[in-house]
Amino acid sequence: MGLMDNLEPPAKALIRMVRDAERVVVFTGAGISTECGIPDFRSPGGLWTKYRPIEFQDYMSSAQMRAEAWRRKFAMEPAFRAARPGRGHNAIAHLVRIGKVRHVITQNIDNLHQMSGVPENRVIELHGNATYAHCLDCGLRHEIDDIRMAFEATGEAPGCRACGGIVKTATVSFGQAMPQEEMLRAEAATEDCDLFLAIGSSLVVYPAAGFPLMAKRNGARLVILNREATDLDPYADLVVSEDIGSVLEPLSTLNN
């Protein structure tokens, strides 16, 4: 039985487009990780419907807000720790291995692309990584387990062990500047691709959501794979509104 047998038309079209492309860029959002047990933030019932996001300026100015941020972090930690790459992550990692996908640009902070086997230098994390923390003053890396021990002992957000500065997960909060180096890398990758796959993203957060249109302006074909409609659907060459893992899984057996 061939790769294309028993696939629905949108999945067949996606496979053809990937086969025809030479320089694919994948852009992922929370939707690719929900089957892995990582909570979605924006959808109904998501975390942001339960908690108001803590703004960066509030985190910096209030010890109480820092403590609340760490309390939330540790409450979510079991789900993050238990998560393993899903079918979508594994399919993308396969496409990286065979040379189809040049870079994976992600809004996710769960480290699952790296866990699936995508090399660190091929993953561009626009919103950072929640699996470790760093000092906002001196940049020293701090491990989450060490911070948890200190937090549980005092109930207060610990400072940097080297300089006493404010420690925060290595993620980008509301109101915090986007990482300039990662944005430049993402722009360069997007401008160079001939196929841009936007997967599991609502495509409402800018400047990150501007990358699909940037790819189109530079002549790339655009595929949007998301369970709900996005504002960029009219610009896409292909829109797939089916289960992400099921659509991507057949790509795991694609050859050059």
Side-chain angles (χ1 to χ4, degrees), residues 84-210:
R84 294 295 179 268
R87 294 170 295 169
H89 298 95
N90 292 329
I92 292 167
H94 171 74
L95 295 177
V96 172
R97 283 193 295 271
I98 67 174
K100 277 290 182 184
V101 170
R102 300 288 184 88
H103 290 92
V104 179
I105 305 170
T106 187
Q107 296 174 294
N108 298 339
I109 58 175
D110 51 34
N111 204 54
L112 291 178
H113 285 300
Q114 292 92 324
M115 290 177 65
S116 72
V118 180
E120 291 274 356
N121 64 350
R122 298 293 186 93
V123 181
I124 303 173
E125 294 178 314
L126 298 180
H127 295 164
N129 191 306
T131 63
Y132 63 96
H134 59 188
C135 175
L136 296 175
D137 292 327
C138 73
L140 181 69
R141 173 170 171 145
H142 292 252
E143 302 305 324
I144 299 299
D145 286 343
D146 294 337
I147 297 173
R148 180 198 289 272
M149 289 178 60
F151 180 79
E152 290 179 348
T154 65
E156 299 177 356
C160 177
R161 63 178 181 272
C163 73
I166 293 176
V167 176
K168 180 182 176 295
T169 56
T171 57
V172 178
S173 300
F174 278 95
Q176 187 175 2
M178 295 290 286
Q180 185 175 11
E181 180 180 348
E182 298 296 275
M183 288 294 293
L184 291 173
R185 290 180 62 209
E187 290 174 7
T190 298
E191 291 175 349
D192 184 57
C193 75
D194 59 1
L195 176 62
F196 190 98
L197 305 182
I199 301 170
S201 174
S202 57
L203 300 177
V204 296
V205 179
Y206 283 83

